Amino acid sequence: ARFQGWQKLKPDSIIGSGTAAALGVSLEDRITQVRANLERWRLLPKSLGDKHIFVDLNQQEMRLFENGQSTLQMKVIAGRDDRRTPTFIDQITQVIVNPYWFAPPRIVVLDILPKAMQDPGYFAQLRMRIFDESGREVDPYYENWGMYTVDYPPPYTFREDPGDHNSLGRLKFHLSDNKNSIYMHATNRHDLFAQDKRLLSSGCVRLENPRDLATALLASQGYSRASIEGMIYDSTVIAKPIVLTTPVRVYITGVTVAVDPDGTTRFGQDFYGQDGRIVAAVEGRPVPGSFAETQPEPESFRPMRQPPWWPF
């Protein structure tokens, strides 16, 4: 159980496939992990900021740090392997209460239309409304959805109205310089946080306790948890942005080696296969399988313009 804890595995004392694989990792591979993570930290700014958020895609968790101390921690759901959450630095500028979800065209084509072709009532199940370019609502029963493809998406806006059913949940944390529509938000599938491996989204970061984060970010502006929840359940509050007087920096990356305050070294899984690529780059060897080469999804799911500190 202690060993499983060090590996960020479920500490059930059962040697399942994950534990067996961790037991079989060689010393050389562990050294490679350490080297890769030293390089990750070297590439980050020396100071992450007095108040910042660190999202660890491999540990599948988010931490809020204030003055060097972790003041809030929660599980996250990140992008599945074919729709990976990219590594980037950004900042939260707004908290949006009861947001709309505007489905990206490629998600519409890949995920929604196949189900809609089997059941035109699927849009009603999602409480999704469809609008043409002039803003008029489209009746989905009279559309030939089979004619659209990734290269020829439907010329409509697909909007999921606010509510508990909404894919973004009740809260969205808007990132300012975000070219690929990757956000942090709540979710209508809270049951998924019970899973050990939570790489299940289309790239966005879903938060286990978004109301805790909203309260922590907005407390200095006079908002309490009660006032935030009051807005959430007020039917007149729709897509209400609350601008942060001081934006909060967000770091999204994947760490596979961490050291606890007591000196215990913990190794995590490298779900996106980045460690070997980082070490290859450091050693001047060809970097195996660049992200764009190994990513089968369309451009909207690929990493946005990477910040200058990231070598890939």
Side-chain angles (χ1 to χ4, degrees):
R2 285 198 302 272
F3 175 80
Q4 289 170 325
W6 296 336
Q7 310 302 315
K8 282 289 185 176
L9 298 168
K10 184 178 180 180
D12 56 10
S13 299
I14 298 171
I15 303 180
S17 59
T19 301
L23 286 166
V25 175
S26 69
L27 175 60
E28 181 181 20
D29 288 341
R30 290 299 186 206
I31 292 172
T32 296
Q33 274 189 279
V34 172
R35 293 179 64 199
N37 282 271
L38 286 171
E39 181 66 6
R40 276 192 179 95
W41 285 108
R42 187 186 71 80
L43 293 167
L44 285 167
K46 279 189 175 182
S47 173
L48 302 184
D50 292 337
K51 187 172 185 177
H52 68 273
I53 289 171
F54 197 94
V55 177
D56 188 331
L57 302 174
N58 288 320
Q59 305 295 335
Q60 301 166 91
E61 68 179 19
M62 182 226 82
R63 288 178 183 261
L64 172 65
F65 289 89
E66 299 180 78
N67 299 316
Q69 300 296 316
S70 175
T71 58
L72 182 63
Q73 178 181 354
M74 67 185 69
K75 296 177 181 177
V76 303
I77 293 170
R80 65 198 203 203
D81 189 56
D82 60 346
R83 298 182 183 179
R84 302 174 183 179
T85 302
T87 294
F88 63 102
I89 298 175
D90 210 320
Q91 58 183 2
I92 295 176
T93 55
Q94 299 178 19
V95 178
I96 300 173
V97 181
N98 294 333
Y100 289 112
W101 180 52
F102 294 92
R106 297 180 189 277
I107 288 182
V108 169
V109 171
L110 295 172
D111 297 345
I112 297 175
L113 293 191
K115 296 178 181 178
M117 284 187 286
Q118 297 178 2
D119 176 14
Y122 184 64
F123 291 108
Q125 294 176 34
L126 295 177
R127 301 187 198 179
M128 178 173 281
R129 301 169 67 188
I130 306 168
F131 301 91
D132 64 17
E133 293 179 349
S134 65
R136 291 177 298 185
E137 191 161 358
V138 175
D139 189 335
Y141 283 88
Y142 295 97
E143 279 292 317
N144 176 18
W145 297 117
M147 67 182 290
Y148 298 112
T149 66
V150 169
D151 296 323
Y152 179 61
Y156 303 130
T157 297
F158 294 77
R159 189 187 79 187
E160 209 171 57
D161 288 336
D164 290 329
H165 65 281
N166 188 283
S167 296
L168 302 183
R170 294 282 194 161
L171 291 166
K172 172 185 172 182
F173 300 84
H174 183 79
L175 301 175
S176 61
D177 186 25
N178 197 328
K179 305 300 188 296
N180 258 27
S181 299
I182 301 295
Y183 302 106
M184 298 167 61
H185 59 80
T187 178
N188 59 4
R189 291 294 310 277
H190 205 268
D191 57 299
L192 298 178
F193 289 103
Q195 299 188 24
D196 293 328
K197 184 177 179 181
R198 296 183 298 279
L199 302 181
L200 304 166
S201 80
S202 290
C204 283
V205 176
R206 306 178 195 173
L207 302 170
E208 180 184 25
N209 299 307
R211 298 181 192 188
D212 291 349
L213 180 59
T215 302
L217 295 179
L218 296 172
S220 63
Q221 296 177 220
Y223 291 90
S224 65
R225 185 183 179 98
S227 64
I228 293 170
E229 292 187 343
M231 287 187 288
I232 285 174
Y233 294 114
D234 185 339
S235 61
T236 66
V237 176
I238 298 175
K240 176 181 175 62
I242 305 175
V243 177
L244 271 62
T245 53
T246 303
V248 175
R249 187 61 59 93
V250 178
Y251 301 87
I252 298 181
T253 186
V255 175
T256 58
V257 181
V259 181
D260 291 344
D262 65 1
T264 301
T265 303
R266 298 185 184 276
F267 293 93
Q269 298 183 63
D270 183 16
F271 291 115
Y272 292 163
Q274 295 280 25
D275 282 358
R277 297 178 58 244
I278 293 173
V279 172
V282 169
E283 295 179 347
R285 294 184 284 109
V287 177
S290 69
F291 197 102
E293 292 172 353
T294 59
Q295 183 78 333
E297 289 295 339
E299 187 64 30
S300 67
F301 292 124
R302 293 181 182 164
M304 66 197 70
R305 174 184 55 80
Q306 297 290 6
W309 54 267
W310 192 248
F312 308 125

